[in-house]
Amino acid sequence: MSTDRETVLREATALLIRRPAAAMDDIARAAGISRATLHRMYAGRDALVRAIGARALEQVSAAVDAARIEDGPADEALRRVVDELMPIAEFLGILYGENALCEVPEIDAAWQRIDNRVNAVVRQGQADGVLRLDLPAAWITEAVFSLAVGAGWAVRDGRLARREAPRGVAELLLGGVGRTRD
């Protein structure tokens, strides 16, 4: 049986987001491969985690690209971001929760580029009067990502329907940060 790296990374991510201290044996078992096969693919835990981080950044960057965040009003752009992030919420979550990915220069730089793009949309929404001005743009941006991760966990645990998650996140977010007309 052929083992594809994408499946290994996805299954490892799903396990590590819930059990950050999982052993390589557990990761291999979750991916449906032997520990020896896992070690042939990734020299050790650090190499695996960095590969997960790189894949997560690719996935998140592609999601932001697919959301066409530069098109239309900010609230609509944020809805599209949430729609695109929900299927990859675990990859997004690993960027938040895996300590081994902190302070890795190439990962930090890539994350900063993604964060800056979404933050620019939020600032534009504030300038256009669509989003609240009394909340820092950086906090609203953080909320977008954090709510997507939280909803992803709820979907995985069966507490939230996959098809309802994007709308739930967008409504909660925009209900809190949207600017009401007086």
Side-chain angles (χ1 to χ4, degrees):
M1 169 173 95
S2 166
T3 302
D4 86 84
R5 288 179 184 267
E6 184 66 25
T7 299
V8 171
L9 293 177
R10 187 178 58 250
E11 294 303 322
T13 298
L15 178 64
L16 290 173
I17 199 161
R18 286 303 200 180
R19 291 185 38 218
M24 291 293 276
D25 284 340
D26 296 329
I27 295 168
R29 195 172 17 266
I33 59 175
S34 70
R35 183 176 180 178
T37 300
L38 182 60
H39 276 286
R40 278 192 296 278
M41 296 173 83
Y42 302 101
R45 185 182 182 85
D46 189 52
L48 172 63
V49 168
R50 282 182 182 244
I52 290 170
R55 185 64 182 134
L57 286 165
E58 290 170 5
Q59 292 278 346
V60 174
S61 183
V64 172
D65 288 345
R68 304 171 334 278
I69 62 174
E70 295 80 12
D71 297 346
D75 54 345
E76 292 175 18
L78 292 177
R79 284 181 191 282
R80 290 191 305 271
V81 166
V82 169
D83 285 345
E84 296 293 336
L85 287 175
M86 288 311 308
I88 58 152
E90 288 175 331
F91 278 113
L92 178 61
I94 205 79
L95 293 171
Y96 271 81
E98 180 53 59
N99 290 335
L101 297 175
C102 294
E103 299 182 17
V104 177
E106 60 272 13
I107 289 177
D108 288 344
W111 178 251
Q112 193 61 54
R113 286 189 297 275
I114 294 165
D115 192 68
N116 287 345
R117 289 183 64 200
V118 176
N119 198 286
V121 169
V122 171
R123 287 192 316 273
Q124 186 61 53
Q126 290 174 318
D128 293 343
V130 176
L131 301 178
R132 289 172 54 171
L133 296 170
D134 62 323
L135 297 173
W139 174 236
I140 295 171
T141 302
E142 197 70 32
V144 170
F145 296 127
S146 297
L147 287 171
V149 170
W153 288 345
V155 168
R156 184 154 186 91
D157 289 348
R159 294 178 285 123
L160 181 62
R162 183 172 302 281
R163 71 181 180 289
E164 294 173 5
R167 181 181 173 280
V169 169
E171 291 302 316
L172 181 61
L173 174 74
L174 294 171
V177 304
R179 193 159 175 204
T180 59
R181 303 288 180 210
D182 300 321

